[in-house]
Amino acid sequence: PRDEVTTKQRVDGDFVDKLPVDRINQVLQLQPGVSADNAGRISIRGGRNRDAATYVDGVPVTAGYRGERPFGSGGSEISVATNAVEEAAVTTGSYSAEYGNAKSGIIGITTRTGGPQYRGSFGYESDEPFGATHGIDLNRVQGSLSGPIAGRLTFAVSGTLEGKKSIEDGFHS
């Protein structure tokens, strides 16, 4: 249609599983008009990092870190594990008033639901076998489990745990 000025790019969750990525921001960066800075913060169509509205299962969330630790250090990051994504979408252009807080674009993430069969996955990454002088002592565990409970009632749970002993800029800093 000539009057349609909105563009929506979608990425299916099964495709995300096949990509060599471990963060949802890395998936979104593959879409036209999306870029990220060195810290991985998303920018859509040249807007600032916090100009995009983000929705997870239709619920608006704000990007970045939540909470404060003593002395001003960052809190925990709210993110969706890549194994929990059913669909990720980036909408650019003119959108309805429903998305009033969006300035540069809309990021929509739909999480997976359970199904009639039990499904699961588990993954573990580590650079510790090579010693502390060859890595940042990264340990990452990712897993998911879904399936039926009773009748049409299903469940789906997934998550990622990640830890590092040193920062990427240097060893034992």
Side-chain angles (χ1 to χ4, degrees):
R2 291 181 193 213
D3 61 344
E4 189 172 311
V5 293
T6 301
T7 303
K8 188 171 192 175
Q9 306 293 328
R10 292 181 175 97
V11 180
D12 187 57
D14 292 332
F15 182 71
V16 171
D17 290 340
K18 296 173 185 168
L19 290 174
V21 298
D22 52 1
R23 302 222 180 336
I24 193 66
N25 284 0
Q26 295 169 331
V27 174
L28 296 172
Q29 288 176 38
L30 300 174
Q31 303 309 305
V34 179
S35 62
D37 61 11
N38 291 338
R41 293 182 298 254
I42 293 287
S43 172
I44 298 176
R45 297 178 62 197
R48 287 176 272 179
N49 298 343
R50 296 187 180 264
D51 282 353
T54 303
Y55 290 80
V56 177
D57 289 333
V59 177
V61 296
T62 48
Y65 288 89
R66 308 292 187 278
E68 288 286 329
R69 290 188 204 165
F71 311 111
S73 60
S76 61
E77 181 181 354
I78 293 178
S79 62
V80 177
T82 56
N83 62 354
V85 174
E86 180 69 32
E87 180 183 89
V90 177
T91 305
T92 59
S94 178
Y95 18 84
S96 69
E98 173 185 1
Y99 305 106
N101 59 343
K103 296 176 187 164
S104 64
I106 301 164
I107 298 170
I109 299 170
T110 305
T111 58
R112 293 189 179 183
T113 59
Q117 298 177 346
Y118 290 102
R119 291 178 49 175
S121 68
F122 178 79
Y124 176 71
E125 297 175 58
S126 177
D127 66 353
E128 286 187 358
F130 301 108
T133 58
H134 294 87
I136 58 172
D137 290 333
L138 171 73
N139 290 299
R140 188 168 194 274
V141 178
Q142 183 169 320
S144 67
L145 181 64
S146 65
I149 295 177
R152 295 185 342 180
L153 184 62
T154 62
F155 76 97
V157 62
S158 68
T160 301
L161 295 173
E162 183 176 302
K164 298 181 235 182
K165 290 184 183 174
S166 62
I167 59 175
E168 285 102 353
D169 297 334
F171 300 108
H172 307 294
S173 298

